[in-house]
Coordinates of all heavy atoms in Angstrom, one line a residue:
V1 N 135.3 33.0 106.4 CA 135.2 31.5 106.3 C 135.6 30.8 107.6 O 136.8 31.0 108.0 CB 136.0 30.9 105.1 CG1 135.8 29.4 105.0 CG2 135.6 31.6 103.8
F2 N 134.7 30.0 108.1 CA 135.0 29.2 109.3 C 135.1 27.8 109.0 O 134.1 27.3 108.3 CB 134.0 29.4 110.4 CG 133.8 30.8 110.9 CD1 133.0 31.7 110.2 CD2 134.4 31.3 112.0 CE1 132.9 33.0 110.7 CE2 134.4 32.5 112.5 CZ 133.5 33.5 111.9
M3 N 136.1 27.1 109.3 CA 136.1 25.6 109.0 C 136.5 24.8 110.2 O 137.5 25.1 110.9 CB 137.2 25.4 107.9 CG 137.3 23.9 107.5 SD 138.3 23.7 106.0 CE 137.1 24.2 104.7
N4 N 135.7 23.8 110.5 CA 135.9 22.9 111.7 C 137.1 22.1 111.5 O 137.3 21.4 110.4 CB 134.6 22.2 111.9 CG 134.6 21.3 113.1 OD1 134.8 20.1 113.1 ND2 134.5 22.0 114.3
D5 N 137.8 21.9 112.5 CA 139.0 21.1 112.4 C 138.9 19.7 112.2 O 139.6 19.1 111.6 CB 139.9 21.4 113.7 CG 140.7 22.7 113.7 OD1 140.4 23.6 112.9 OD2 141.5 23.0 114.7
I6 N 137.9 19.1 112.9 CA 137.7 17.7 112.8 C 136.9 17.2 111.6 O 137.1 16.1 111.1 CB 137.1 17.2 114.1 CG1 137.4 15.7 114.3 CG2 135.6 17.4 114.2 CD1 137.0 15.2 115.7
S7 N 135.9 18.1 111.2 CA 135.0 17.6 110.1 C 135.1 18.3 108.8 O 134.6 17.8 107.8 CB 133.6 17.8 110.5 OG 133.3 19.2 110.7
I8 N 135.8 19.4 108.7 CA 136.0 20.3 107.6 C 134.6 20.9 107.3 O 134.4 21.5 106.2 CB 136.6 19.6 106.4 CG1 137.8 18.8 106.8 CG2 137.0 20.5 105.3 CD1 138.9 19.5 107.4
L9 N 133.7 20.8 108.2 CA 132.5 21.7 108.0 C 132.8 23.1 107.8 O 133.6 23.5 108.6 CB 131.4 21.4 109.1 CG 130.0 21.9 109.0 CD1 129.1 20.9 108.3 CD2 129.5 22.4 110.3
S10 N 132.1 23.8 107.0 CA 132.4 25.2 106.8 C 131.3 26.2 106.8 O 130.1 25.7 106.4 CB 133.2 25.4 105.5 OG 132.5 25.2 104.4
L11 N 131.5 27.4 107.2 CA 130.4 28.4 107.1 C 131.1 29.6 106.4 O 132.2 29.9 106.8 CB 129.9 28.8 108.5 CG 129.2 27.9 109.4 CD1 128.9 28.4 110.8 CD2 127.9 27.4 108.7
T12 N 130.4 30.2 105.5 CA 130.9 31.4 104.9 C 130.0 32.6 105.0 O 128.8 32.5 104.5 CB 131.1 31.1 103.3 OG1 132.0 30.0 103.1 CG2 131.7 32.3 102.6
V13 N 130.4 33.6 105.9 CA 129.4 34.6 106.3 C 130.0 35.9 106.1 O 131.2 36.2 106.2 CB 129.0 34.3 107.8 CG1 128.5 32.9 107.9 CG2 130.1 34.6 108.6
S14 N 129.0 36.9 105.9 CA 129.3 38.2 105.9 C 128.9 39.0 107.1 O 128.3 38.3 108.1 CB 128.7 38.9 104.6 OG 127.3 38.7 104.8
G15 N 129.2 40.3 107.3 CA 128.8 41.0 108.5 C 130.0 41.2 109.5 O 129.6 41.9 110.5
I16 N 131.1 40.6 109.3 CA 132.1 40.9 110.3 C 133.1 41.9 109.7 O 133.8 41.8 108.6 CB 132.9 39.7 110.5 CG1 132.1 38.5 111.1 CG2 134.1 39.9 111.5 CD1 132.6 37.2 111.3
R17 N 133.1 43.2 110.3 CA 134.0 44.2 109.8 C 135.3 44.3 110.4 O 135.5 43.6 111.4 CB 133.2 45.6 110.0 CG 131.9 45.7 109.4 CD 131.2 47.0 109.8 NE 129.9 47.1 109.1 CZ 129.1 48.1 109.2 NH1 129.4 49.1 109.9 NH2 127.9 48.1 108.6
T18 N 136.2 45.0 109.8 CA 137.6 45.2 110.5 C 137.5 45.8 111.8 O 136.6 46.5 112.1 CB 138.4 46.3 109.6 OG1 138.4 45.7 108.2 CG2 139.8 46.4 110.0
N19 N 138.3 45.2 112.7 CA 138.4 45.5 114.2 C 137.2 45.0 115.0 O 136.9 45.6 116.0 CB 138.5 47.0 114.4 CG 139.8 47.7 113.6 OD1 140.9 46.9 113.6 ND2 139.7 48.8 113.1
Q20 N 136.5 44.0 114.4 CA 135.3 43.6 115.2 C 135.6 42.2 115.8 O 134.7 41.3 115.7 CB 134.1 43.6 114.3 CG 133.5 45.0 114.0 CD 132.1 44.9 113.3 OE1 131.8 44.0 112.6 NE2 131.3 45.9 113.7
A21 N 136.7 42.0 116.4 CA 137.0 40.7 117.0 C 135.9 40.4 118.1 O 135.5 39.3 118.3 CB 138.3 40.7 117.6
S22 N 135.3 41.5 118.7 CA 134.3 41.2 119.8 C 133.0 40.7 119.3 O 132.3 40.1 120.1 CB 134.1 42.6 120.5 OG 133.6 43.5 119.6
K23 N 132.8 40.8 118.0 CA 131.6 40.2 117.4 C 131.8 38.9 116.7 O 130.8 38.3 116.1 CB 131.0 41.3 116.5 CG 130.5 42.6 117.1 CD 129.8 43.5 116.2 CE 129.3 44.8 116.8 NZ 128.6 45.6 115.9
L24 N 133.0 38.5 116.6 CA 133.3 37.2 115.9 C 132.4 36.0 116.4 O 131.8 35.3 115.7 CB 134.7 36.9 116.1 CG 135.2 35.7 115.2 CD1 135.3 36.1 113.8 CD2 136.7 35.3 115.6
A25 N 132.4 35.9 117.7 CA 131.8 34.6 118.3 C 130.2 34.7 118.1 O 129.6 33.8 117.8 CB 132.1 34.6 119.8
S26 N 129.7 36.0 118.3 CA 128.2 36.1 118.1 C 127.7 35.9 116.8 O 126.7 35.2 116.5 CB 127.7 37.4 118.8 OG 128.3 38.4 118.0
I27 N 128.4 36.4 115.8 CA 128.1 36.3 114.4 C 128.2 34.8 113.9 O 127.4 34.2 113.3 CB 128.9 37.2 113.6 CG1 128.4 38.8 113.8 CG2 128.7 37.0 112.0 CD1 129.3 39.7 113.1
F28 N 129.3 34.3 114.4 CA 129.5 32.8 114.1 C 128.4 32.0 114.6 O 127.8 31.1 113.9 CB 130.9 32.3 114.7 CG 131.0 30.8 114.7 CD1 131.4 30.1 113.6 CD2 130.8 30.1 115.9 CE1 131.5 28.7 113.6 CE2 130.9 28.7 115.9 CZ 131.2 28.0 114.8
K29 N 128.1 32.2 115.9 CA 127.0 31.3 116.6 C 125.6 31.5 115.9 O 125.0 30.6 115.7 CB 126.9 31.7 118.0 CG 126.0 30.9 118.9 CD 126.1 31.1 120.4 CE 125.2 30.3 121.2 NZ 125.2 30.5 122.7
Q30 N 125.3 32.7 115.5 CA 124.1 33.0 114.8 C 124.0 32.2 113.5 O 122.9 31.6 113.2 CB 123.9 34.4 114.6 CG 123.7 35.3 115.8 CD 123.8 36.9 115.6 OE1 123.9 37.2 114.3 NE2 123.8 37.6 116.6
N31 N 125.1 32.2 112.8 CA 125.1 31.5 111.5 C 125.2 30.0 111.7 O 124.5 29.3 110.8 CB 126.3 32.1 110.6 CG 126.1 33.4 110.0 OD1 125.5 33.5 108.9 ND2 126.5 34.5 110.7
L32 N 125.9 29.5 112.6 CA 125.9 28.1 112.9 C 124.5 27.6 113.2 O 124.0 26.6 112.8 CB 126.9 27.7 113.9 CG 126.9 26.2 114.3 CD1 127.4 25.5 113.1 CD2 127.9 26.1 115.4
E33 N 123.8 28.3 114.2 CA 122.5 28.0 114.6 C 121.5 28.0 113.4 O 120.8 27.0 113.2 CB 121.9 29.0 115.6 CG 120.6 28.6 116.2 CD 120.1 29.5 117.3 OE1 120.8 30.6 117.5 OE2 119.1 29.2 118.0
A34 N 121.6 28.9 112.5 CA 120.7 29.0 111.3 C 121.0 27.8 110.4 O 120.1 27.2 109.8 CB 120.9 30.3 110.6
Y35 N 122.3 27.5 110.3 CA 122.6 26.4 109.3 C 122.2 25.0 109.8 O 121.7 24.3 109.1 CB 124.2 26.4 109.1 CG 124.6 25.2 108.2 CD1 124.1 25.1 107.0 CD2 125.5 24.3 108.8 CE1 124.5 23.9 106.3 CE2 125.9 23.3 108.1 CZ 125.4 22.9 106.8 OH 125.8 21.9 106.1

């Protein structure tokens, strides 16, 4: 779950596995763009 600090806008996404910090930004960006 990603929640924006100023607006409380949220995204709830799957696909981020344990130890995958390197993929956090790319998966977030893909889901934000789609939303």
